[in-house]
Amino acid sequence: MSFPVVCGVACLFSAFSISSQLAGKKALRLAGVAVLALPLLSGLPLAAQTAHFVSGWNGIGTGLSNPTGVAIDSAGNVYIADQNTNKLYKETLSGGSYTQSIVSSGFSRAYSVAVDSNGNVFVTDANTGSVYLETPSGGSYTQTLLATDGAFGVGVDAGDNVYTVTISAVVNKYAPAGGSSYTATSDIVTATSCFYATGVAVDASGSIYIACDGSNPYYVQRETPSGGGHYTQSTVGSGLTNPTGVAVDSSGNVYIADCGNSRVLLETLSGGSYTQAYFSAGAAPRAWRWMAAATYTSQIPAAHWCW
């Protein structure tokens, strides 16, 4: 099966979980999805491509224990937030294989991760409600506390603005202000009726997508800008059970990690409405899984722990 993937910079940052091989082969289920961006950062024009996705049994990362967040940069490097080791890992891609290093450690619950166009990495600590900036410098990273706002999920848009979502579905925005400084705008939107928000993504038009893991019926809530700082609410997805991750591509198509149903769904946008299809389904709950895009050199991680 093939899907058209036309992906802008924002796709790099809407990534939420990774498949892994754990000691003891503990149970894994689908819980997140990452969309790999085309190399726009080099200034090359964006061209539509068709990627062919296949299911397989493979993984990225070793020594992991409950990885819950993943982001992919334009070079195909993978960043993993691992809850139980409380570390942020980097898997550097070279020659089709990965070399693991540690970006930072010492968290009390490393949960979500995002990366911007400059290679800055953002990671949340779900226990403290903090989001940290990891700035690359000479092969290592310098950590700065960006905010303590109750952050659970984190995402970055095409303009390198950082968005956090709290467990009560309050979205905060941080705009770059030079160096490691950011200008905060608190509570730009609250996804009413959304309970236990775990993931956030932003599309090219500024619409915000929030994975509502604890709501029933379960859904992804879309917040569309309607002028004057206001947003219009709508929902994306049906038949979901515990959606824990969400990503969006530059065409506005939405990818939902439907954890409770062990699948990733594709919501294709056309004429203002969505058509749902399986992007990946039937993942074995006791295995680790990947989806490889034949037209790209990197793998697209698509699994991690469910609650």
Side-chain angles (χ1 to χ4, degrees), residues 31-293:
V33 61
V35 181
L36 181 62
L38 298 177
L40 295 181
L41 304 183
S42 64
L44 297 176
L46 176 64
Q49 296 191 26
T50 298
H52 300 275
F53 294 90
V54 295
S55 298
W57 305 102
N58 205 339
I60 299 171
T62 59
L64 305 178
S65 178
N66 200 358
T68 50
V70 64
I72 309 171
D73 67 21
S74 59
N77 303 312
V78 180
Y79 303 82
I80 307 166
D82 190 59
Q83 279 200 65
N84 289 356
T85 63
N86 284 310
K87 294 177 181 177
L88 175 62
Y89 294 92
K90 180 179 181 180
E91 300 286 344
T92 302
L93 179 64
S94 178
S97 61
Y98 294 88
T99 301
Q100 186 182 87
S101 59
I102 297 174
V103 174
S104 58
S105 61
F107 303 101
S108 61
R109 189 185 176 193
Y111 188 79
S112 183
V113 62
V115 59
D116 71 12
S117 64
N118 296 308
N120 298 310
V121 185
F122 304 87
V123 58
T124 64
D125 188 322
N127 277 356
T128 64
S130 302
V131 57
Y132 294 92
L133 164 64
E134 304 285 349
T135 305
S137 177
S140 61
Y141 289 82
T142 301
Q143 185 182 90
T144 305
L145 175 64
L146 180 60
T148 299
D149 61 0
F152 214 79
V154 63
V156 184
D157 69 14
D160 288 341
N161 298 297
V162 182
Y163 296 77
T164 63
V165 64
T166 71
I167 202 168
S168 55
V170 176
V171 177
N172 302 296
K173 179 180 178 181
Y174 301 90
S180 59
S181 298
Y182 287 77
T183 301
T185 304
S186 300
D187 195 4
I188 62 170
V189 67
T190 298
T192 57
S193 75
C194 179
F195 175 69
Y196 211 92
T198 54
V200 61
V202 185
D203 69 18
S205 67
S207 293
I208 302 168
Y209 302 80
I210 302 168
C212 301
D213 182 27
S215 302
N216 194 354
Y218 302 96
Y219 57 89
V220 168
Q221 185 148 315
R222 177 180 175 177
E223 301 283 349
T224 304
S226 55
H230 300 289
Y231 289 80
T232 300
Q233 296 183 349
S234 58
T235 60
V236 181
S238 60
L240 308 178
T241 303
N242 299 117
T244 54
V246 60
V248 59
D249 67 22
S250 63
S251 296
N253 303 313
V254 180
Y255 304 78
I256 303 171
D258 188 14
C259 180
N261 292 313
S262 297
R263 62 186 181 176
V264 175
L265 296 176
L266 168 63
E267 299 282 348
T268 302
L269 180 64
S270 179
S273 61
Y274 293 91
T275 300
Q276 186 181 91
Y278 292 146
F279 187 73
S280 174
R286 292 187 177 275
W288 33 285
R289 179 182 180 85
W290 54 266
M291 296 183 299

